[in-house]
Amino acid sequence: MHTDSRGDSPETPVIPRLRGVLESIPTYKPGKPATAGDGPVTYKLSSNENPYPPLPGVMESVLGAAGSFNRYPDMACSGLMAELAERFDVPATHLATGTGSVGVAQQLIQATAGPGDEVMYAWRSFEAYPIITRISGAASVQVPLTGETHDLDAMADAVTDRTRLVFVCNPNNPTGTVVRRPELERFLDRVPSDVLVVLDEAYREFIRDEEVPDGIEVYRDRPNVCVLRTFSKAYGLAGLRVGFAVAHEPVAAALRKTAVPFGVSQLAQDAAVASLRSEEALLERVEALVGERARVSAALTAQGWTVPESQANFVWLRLGERTAEFAAACERAGVVVRPFPGEGVRITIGETEANDLLLSAAEAFRKEL
Ligand code: PMP
């Protein structure tokens, strides 16, 4: 072992210098997996996944792509881009893909913000926002939710000349609440046109409230609006990692520059194309989940819980100090939910049996309150 130029003694191991900012960044916490094997089997309601297996056409296309593992994927994702351009009636130059929409969100921050800049979002919202913001060196501006939903007036008031990007998570993860057309338009009219507003619509397909605008319609005549979508939720491809953005130039071009080269595998690209082509069948499954969401929300409300109206594939219970206790009770009953310690629990709408287990656990817990 030798000393370094800083004069450390031979006993002090020399470690690579890492950026100090990393010390303050929590590692992204995935939803707890379901248990299998020897212990009691549990259902995973902790990651907002789709409980259904892939549709047959999707499986076949993935198996077909698996024959070319030795080759890099199509870096431009041309087949998928063409399919998306047609499906959403947007120019292919307005599209960019990434490793899940969280990958695209990180590309967006890299393209817009760095040290000295600000990235704004409601809080609590998607837990990746603070992480990817800090990695960039920019500061987070977190505007508290009011009544479990975005306070867009407060967010517009909080814009400064350092704001570079604002996330609006619609519906919001983890509360499931939405922002509707008039309030969103009022907000967009107030935000300076050189600040990028990202409408994160990871759960778009689950929305049934007609007052919630489709971000892709909103983006068309607003050059500072970008829409994020994913194949992970309704389309059931969470494990394949593919998401995309719809944005005007030069934002879409910047996203292509900040992408990890070859980040979206050929399996993911082909599965996404096949999913778009089986959309009708997929959307039937989404409809079933929306029905389950209504059933679970109504049953929880009847048990005495306050359930914010959710337009996503999950519901939110604000449990405060009892959050961890509730999550543990659910686990004992066979369902893993997502606790946010001291705040509340997010419960994914899953298969009927899983939802039933959740409802009985919630009822038993309620009786002990
Ligand atoms: N946005 C929101 C609001 C989310 O909840 C999630 C997933 N939890 C994502 C983006 C990212 O999903 P993915 O990277 O799988 O597309």
Side-chain angles (χ1 to χ4, degrees), residues 2-332:
H2 48 260
T3 57
D4 72 354
S5 58
R6 287 168 280 178
D8 288 339
S9 73
E11 287 74 38
T12 312
V14 179
I15 57 162
R17 293 181 197 218
L18 301 175
R19 289 168 63 214
V21 72
L22 294 180
E23 280 168 31
S24 62
I25 301 178
T27 303
Y28 185 91
K29 233 176 120 190
K32 202 172 163 184
T35 55
D38 297 342
V41 175
T42 56
Y43 289 96
K44 186 181 180 202
L45 301 182
S46 56
S47 293
N48 297 343
E49 293 152 336
N50 188 321
Y52 299 109
L55 290 165
V58 175
M59 198 60 123
E60 280 151 23
S61 77
V62 167
L63 293 176
S68 314
F69 270 167
N70 54 319
R71 304 286 174 200
Y72 285 105
D74 169 5
M75 194 168 107
C77 297
S78 358
L80 177 56
M81 293 288 212
E83 198 83 16
L84 288 170
E86 195 183 318
R87 165 72 179 73
F88 294 106
D89 190 23
V90 296
T93 52
H94 284 199
L95 289 163
T97 51
T99 54
S101 55
V102 72
V104 188
Q106 185 156 26
Q107 290 162 235
L108 280 166
I109 295 183
Q110 280 179 318
T112 54
D117 299 328
E118 292 173 353
V119 173
M120 188 194 297
Y121 47 87
W123 199 247
R124 175 170 283 279
S125 190
F126 180 32
E127 65 267 36
Y129 298 155
I131 299 173
I132 57 183
T133 299
R134 280 204 77 87
I135 291 172
S136 76
S140 275
V141 175
Q142 302 185 334
V143 179
L145 298 171
T146 46
E148 309 292 8
T149 191
H150 282 69
D151 184 345
L152 289 182
D153 288 333
M155 288 176 76
D157 290 342
V159 171
T160 70
D161 57 9
R162 291 195 298 207
T163 311
R164 294 289 173 272
L165 184 153
V166 182
F167 284 110
V168 176
C169 188
N170 200 24
N172 189 46
N173 175 5
T175 57
T177 54
V178 285
V179 298
R180 299 191 172 84
R181 191 170 285 106
E183 51 177 327
L184 182 64
E185 280 177 0
R186 194 169 65 237
F187 171 75
L188 293 172
D189 288 342
R190 284 188 64 194
V191 174
S193 54
D194 62 351
V195 173
L196 184 67
V197 179
V198 178
L199 305 178
D200 184 343
E201 297 188 336
Y203 303 96
R204 169 73 208 166
E205 296 80 4
F206 298 99
I207 296 177
R208 292 295 176 271
D209 180 336
E210 288 179 4
E211 286 300 300
V212 181
D214 178 336
I216 295 179
E217 296 314 316
V218 176
Y219 119 96
R220 291 192 196 278
D221 57 1
R222 294 193 185 259
N224 67 328
V225 170
C226 167
V227 183
L228 273 187
R229 296 276 179 95
T230 182
F231 284 95
S232 297
K233 310 296 178 180
Y235 289 88
L237 301 180
L240 284 175
R241 314 305 304 130
V242 54
F244 65 98
V246 184
H248 292 263
E249 302 281 358
V251 176
L255 284 174
R256 290 191 285 271
K257 284 188 188 165
T258 50
V260 172
F262 306 109
V264 182
S265 72
Q266 200 61 50
L267 268 70
Q269 295 180 37
D270 292 359
V273 168
S275 301
L276 286 166
R277 291 183 184 164
S278 329
E279 203 171 33
E280 225 171 282
L282 275 173
L283 296 182
E284 252 172 52
R285 293 175 168 194
V286 169
E287 197 53 42
L289 290 171
V290 167
E292 279 294 279
R293 175 179 77 200
R295 182 177 77 89
V296 169
S297 303
L300 288 171
T301 307
Q303 290 173 12
W305 297 97
T306 301
V307 191
E309 194 195 320
S310 171
Q311 290 290 313
N313 66 340
F314 52 83
V315 292
W316 170 248
L317 296 181
R318 190 166 281 284
L319 281 135
E321 294 312 312
R322 310 213 52 187
T323 296
E325 211 185 316
F326 180 87
C330 288
E331 208 164 316
R332 282 194 299 277

